[in-house]
Amino acid sequence: MKLYNTLTMTKEEFEPLEQGKVKMYVCGPTVYDFIHIGNARPLIVFDTLRRYFEYKGYEVIYIQNFTDIEDKMINRANKEGITVFELAERFIKEYYKDADRLNVKRATKNPRATEEIPDMITLIQKLIDKGYAYVVDGDVYFRTRKFAEYGKLSHKNIEELMAGARVDLSEKKEDPLDFALWKAKKEGEPAWLSPWGEGRPGWHVECSVMAMKYLGETIDIHAGGQDLIFPHHENEIAQSEAATGKPFARFWLHNGYVNINNEKMSKSLGNFFTVREIIEKYHPEALRLFMLQAHYRKPLNFSLDLIEQAESALKRIYKCYENLEYLIRNETGSNSSNSTLKASLEQFKIKFIDAMEDDLNTAEATGYLFEMVREINTHANTCSKDVLILARDTLKELCGILGILEQYEQKEDEIPLEILELVEKRNQARKAKNFAEADRIRDELKSLGYIVLDTPQGTKIEREK
C-alpha cells in the first residue's frame, strides 16, 4: 500500500516497523463542545484506514487522545461554573455517542491529557537537562532554533515560519518562535505540581507523551487534520526527537479542510454544523459516505444538498443488499447470469482494493462500489442462490472496509403479525382475481406504513421510508 507522507511530500510504500502490527496515533478532539463535521472528517478517514489495515490482516494499535486541559476547556468550564473535569466528562460521553453512530471503531485506547501529566513532566525535565528547554518564572519553553530540523514537516525555514506563524510574543521567551511546554498557574485555572511550580502542560507536549507512552518512541503513522501540520505536529516532532534522538513518526498523514457552501468552516462565521445536527436529520452513514466520496487529502465542500445526495446513494446500497437477502430467501433456481455476475464481482473487488492501496483513494473505491451495485441489480434476478450469496457477501465485505452497511436490519423479521395476515389476505384476493379487494388491502397497508411489491419470486413487504 502506498500512502502520501507529508514529511517527504511523496507517496511511499507502507511497511510497518513491526511485522503484522501497525501503530497509529490520531489527534483527537478538545472536549469542550459537540464535535462538528470538520472534526468528523479525520475520525472517519483514519478509521477507514484502520479498517483497511485490519482487513489486510494487520493488528492495529490505534491511539486517539482527548485534549481535556486547554484554554478552550478552561474558558467554557469557568463560564458554566463547573470544573474542567466535569466539562470533559460530559463531552467525552457525547463524543462517543456521535462517533459510535458514525461507525467509528473505538480506539485501542483514548488517553486523556490530564491522566498523563507525570509523564509530561518527565519529558519536559529531560528536554531541560539536554538544553532544549528553559524555565522562566514557572513557564517552560522549548528552544526551537536548537532543533536543527525544525520546519521539516511544514517544509518551511525558520524565517518563513516566523513571518506566517501565530506565535505568542511573550517577553519571557528567548525567541518569539519558542513554544510553551509548561504554563505557570493563573487565577481560575486548574494546576498540577511540578519542579517549576504549579501549572499545566502545553498542548503540543500532551500528544508527544501520549503517542510515545502507548506506541513507542518511533511510531508508524501519526495523523490528523491539515490545520495541525504547523505548529502542532511540527512542535511534536521537535520536542519528541530532541528528547529521544529517534524519528518520531515514519508517516505523517493529513486530511484536507471541510468547507461549508464553498467557504472555510468557522465558528466565528457561524457556518458550521455539529455532527449531532446532521445525524439527527440524516442517516449517520450518509455523512460517513459523503466524507469518503472525496479523496481525503482534498478540500471537501459540504452542503445540505450534498448530504441528501449521499443519503440517496446510501439507500441504493441498502436497497441492493435488501434485495439480495430477499432473493436468497426466495431463490427460484435461475442461473443464466451466474458467470457474468461472478466475473463482475471479482473485477470490481480487484479495482476497489487497488484504489484503497493507492493512498486510500476512497473516492475511486466508492465509484467502483456503486458500479458493482448497478451490476448486481441488473443480474440478480437471474442468478442462482450461491451467486446471490457471493454478491451479498462481497458487497458486505467492501462496505465493511468503508464502515457502511453496518446498520442493516432484517425488516421482514420485524413485521407485525397483523401486517403479515393482511398481506396473506391480499394474496388470496389476487388468486381469486378479486383485484378491487386486493387494491383496498394494499391501500390499507400503505396507510399503516407498509409497501407491498409483487415480484416473480413472490410478494415483498417493505416499510415505507
Side-chain angles (χ1 to χ4, degrees), residues 287-445:
L287 181 57
R288 185 168 183 120
L289 181 60
F290 166 76
M291 296 284 183
L292 297 177
Q293 284 182 295
H295 192 281
Y296 77 93
R297 286 193 287 116
K298 293 185 177 179
L300 179 60
N301 189 49
F302 179 92
S303 70
L304 294 180
D305 286 344
L306 291 172
I307 200 71
E308 285 170 7
Q309 290 174 29
E311 185 161 71
S312 296
L314 180 70
K315 285 177 180 177
R316 290 202 299 275
I317 297 172
Y318 270 84
K319 188 76 173 174
C320 177
Y321 191 84
E322 288 172 7
N323 191 49
L324 286 168
E325 289 277 40
Y326 176 78
L327 291 171
I328 289 166
R329 289 194 299 272
N330 299 276
E331 187 259 331
T332 58
S334 172
N335 59 10
S336 59
S337 294
N338 276 1
S339 58
T340 302
L341 186 54
K342 282 177 74 174
S344 293
L345 291 171
E346 184 178 348
Q347 285 304 306
F348 283 124
K349 183 174 175 179
I350 290 170
K351 289 178 179 179
F352 181 99
I353 297 300
D354 284 347
M356 297 295 285
E357 289 281 318
D358 182 16
D359 192 29
L360 199 71
N361 193 342
T362 57
E364 195 172 295
T366 54
Y368 293 131
L369 182 68
F370 284 110
E371 286 185 45
M372 188 175 79
V373 165
R374 284 195 292 273
E375 194 75 0
I376 291 170
N377 289 338
T378 300
H379 297 289
N381 287 320
T382 50
C383 285
S384 60
K385 187 171 184 176
D386 61 327
V387 175
L388 293 171
I389 291 171
L390 176 65
R392 178 198 64 189
D393 292 350
T394 303
L395 182 61
K396 186 76 171 171
E397 177 184 332
L398 301 188
C399 285
I401 295 171
L402 300 177
I404 58 175
L405 197 58
E406 295 194 355
Q407 299 176 24
Y408 174 77
E409 297 172 349
Q410 292 276 5
K411 293 183 174 61
E412 288 77 5
D413 294 344
E414 300 171 356
I415 294 171
L417 180 60
E418 59 267 28
I419 299 297
L420 295 174
E421 288 174 349
L422 278 173
V423 171
E424 182 55 29
K425 284 182 182 178
R426 179 176 178 276
N427 288 341
Q428 293 302 321
R430 280 167 54 82
K431 285 181 183 176
K433 300 190 184 303
N434 187 351
F435 297 115
E437 176 65 5
D439 288 347
R440 185 196 68 76
I441 296 173
R442 181 197 62 203
D443 292 341
E444 183 180 353
L445 286 164

Side-chain angles (χ1 to χ4, degrees), residues 29 31 66-70 73 84 88 92 112-115 206:
V31 284
F66 289 129
T67 298
D68 61 347
I69 181 65
E70 197 255 357
M73 296 286 302
V84 169
I92 286 171
R112 302 186 190 190
T114 56
E115 295 175 352
E206 294 175 0

Side-chain angles (χ1 to χ4, degrees), residues 25-89:
Y25 184 89
V26 180
C27 286
T30 301
V31 284
Y32 73 105
D33 207 340
F34 294 99
I35 58 171
H36 55 66
I37 58 171
N39 304 135
R41 193 175 193 189
L43 290 182
I44 290 166
V45 163
F46 299 119
D47 174 73
T48 303
L49 179 59
R50 173 196 187 170
R51 286 169 176 266
Y52 185 65
F53 280 136
E54 289 176 342
Y55 173 78
K56 292 178 69 176
Y58 288 105
E59 176 193 353
V60 181
I61 304 173
Y62 192 92
I63 306 300
Q64 180 193 279
N65 72 298
F66 289 129
T67 298
D68 61 347
I69 181 65
E70 197 255 357
D71 290 344
K72 294 187 182 80
M73 296 286 302
I74 294 166
N75 294 339
R76 174 93 184 239
N78 288 343
K79 185 178 179 180
E80 295 193 13
I82 60 176
T83 67
V84 169
F85 175 79
E86 289 169 326
L87 183 72
E89 281 295 298

Side-chain angles (χ1 to χ4, degrees), residues 171-241:
E171 292 180 3
K172 296 180 181 180
K173 294 182 183 182
E174 294 176 356
D175 188 302
L177 205 60
D178 292 350
F179 59 88
L181 299 170
W182 186 263
K183 299 180 179 183
K185 182 181 180 180
K186 295 177 184 174
E187 189 67 32
E189 292 187 355
W192 288 261
L193 288 173
S194 80
W196 323 289
E198 287 188 289
R200 61 186 173 93
W203 174 36
H204 313 302
V205 80
E206 294 175 0
C207 282
S208 283
V209 166
M210 289 184 277
M212 290 193 288
K213 179 174 180 178
Y214 295 103
L215 297 173
E217 291 181 340
T218 300
I219 69 177
D220 290 306
I221 295 172
H222 196 311
Q226 179 184 334
D227 56 317
L228 299 181
I229 295 173
F230 184 85
H232 185 50
H233 289 167
E234 194 76 71
N235 291 351
E236 278 191 67
I237 289 174
Q239 64 203 7
S240 303
E241 297 187 2

Side-chain angles (χ1 to χ4, degrees), residues 9-285:
M9 300 178 71
T10 59
K11 288 183 190 178
E12 298 179 39
E13 193 68 36
F14 176 78
E15 288 291 339
L17 277 169
E18 189 176 338
Q19 189 173 1
K21 187 177 289 186
V22 178
K23 297 177 181 180
M24 286 183 68
Y25 184 89
V26 180
C27 286
T30 301
V31 284
Y32 73 105
D33 207 340
F34 294 99
I35 58 171
H36 55 66
I37 58 171
N39 304 135
R41 193 175 193 189
L43 290 182
I44 290 166
V45 163
F46 299 119
D47 174 73
T48 303
L49 179 59
R50 173 196 187 170
R51 286 169 176 266
Y52 185 65
F53 280 136
E54 289 176 342
Y55 173 78
K56 292 178 69 176
Y58 288 105
E59 176 193 353
V60 181
I61 304 173
Y62 192 92
I63 306 300
Q64 180 193 279
N65 72 298
F66 289 129
T67 298
D68 61 347
I69 181 65
E70 197 255 357
D71 290 344
K72 294 187 182 80
M73 296 286 302
I74 294 166
N75 294 339
R76 174 93 184 239
N78 288 343
K79 185 178 179 180
E80 295 193 13
I82 60 176
T83 67
V84 169
F85 175 79
E86 289 169 326
L87 183 72
E89 281 295 298
R90 184 206 310 172
F91 283 111
I92 286 171
K93 287 177 183 175
E94 299 301 339
Y95 163 84
Y96 281 129
K97 287 179 187 176
D98 290 342
D100 288 348
R101 290 188 67 192
L102 291 173
N103 300 340
V104 173
K105 296 180 70 173
R106 294 286 179 105
T108 310
K109 185 170 180 63
N110 289 117
R112 302 186 190 190
T114 56
E115 295 175 352
E116 311 295 343
I117 288 175
D119 292 304
M120 295 172 197
I121 290 171
T122 299
L123 180 68
I124 294 168
Q125 187 60 57
K126 187 173 185 180
L127 290 168
I128 293 170
D129 294 343
K130 295 181 78 170
Y132 280 100
Y134 57 95
V135 184
V136 183
D137 298 333
D139 293 327
V140 184
Y141 295 101
F142 183 87
R143 287 190 173 99
T144 299
R145 291 181 192 271
K146 186 173 174 63
F147 184 71
E149 293 184 283
Y150 195 81
K152 67 179 178 179
L153 184 67
S154 52
H155 305 287
K156 297 179 187 294
N157 61 38
I158 289 285
E159 284 67 33
E160 288 175 312
L161 292 170
M162 280 289 294
R166 292 178 296 172
V167 294
D168 176 15
L169 299 175
S170 169
E171 292 180 3
K172 296 180 181 180
K173 294 182 183 182
E174 294 176 356
D175 188 302
L177 205 60
D178 292 350
F179 59 88
L181 299 170
W182 186 263
K183 299 180 179 183
K185 182 181 180 180
K186 295 177 184 174
E187 189 67 32
E189 292 187 355
W192 288 261
L193 288 173
S194 80
W196 323 289
E198 287 188 289
R200 61 186 173 93
W203 174 36
H204 313 302
V205 80
E206 294 175 0
C207 282
S208 283
V209 166
M210 289 184 277
M212 290 193 288
K213 179 174 180 178
Y214 295 103
L215 297 173
E217 291 181 340
T218 300
I219 69 177
D220 290 306
I221 295 172
H222 196 311
Q226 179 184 334
D227 56 317
L228 299 181
I229 295 173
F230 184 85
H232 185 50
H233 289 167
E234 194 76 71
N235 291 351
E236 278 191 67
I237 289 174
Q239 64 203 7
S240 303
E241 297 187 2
T244 67
K246 301 174 184 176
F248 177 41
R250 296 170 58 245
F251 280 77
W252 288 86
L253 273 56
H254 295 94
N255 62 272
Y257 293 116
V258 175
N259 299 321
I260 303 289
N261 297 319
N262 295 309
E263 284 188 314
K264 184 180 176 183
M265 187 175 66
S266 164
K267 286 195 173 182
S268 61
L269 293 174
N271 65 341
F272 73 98
F273 293 94
T274 65
V275 167
R276 187 71 54 88
E277 287 176 294
I278 299 301
I279 64 179
E280 284 179 351
K281 295 177 182 175
Y282 302 96
H283 195 298
E285 288 183 4

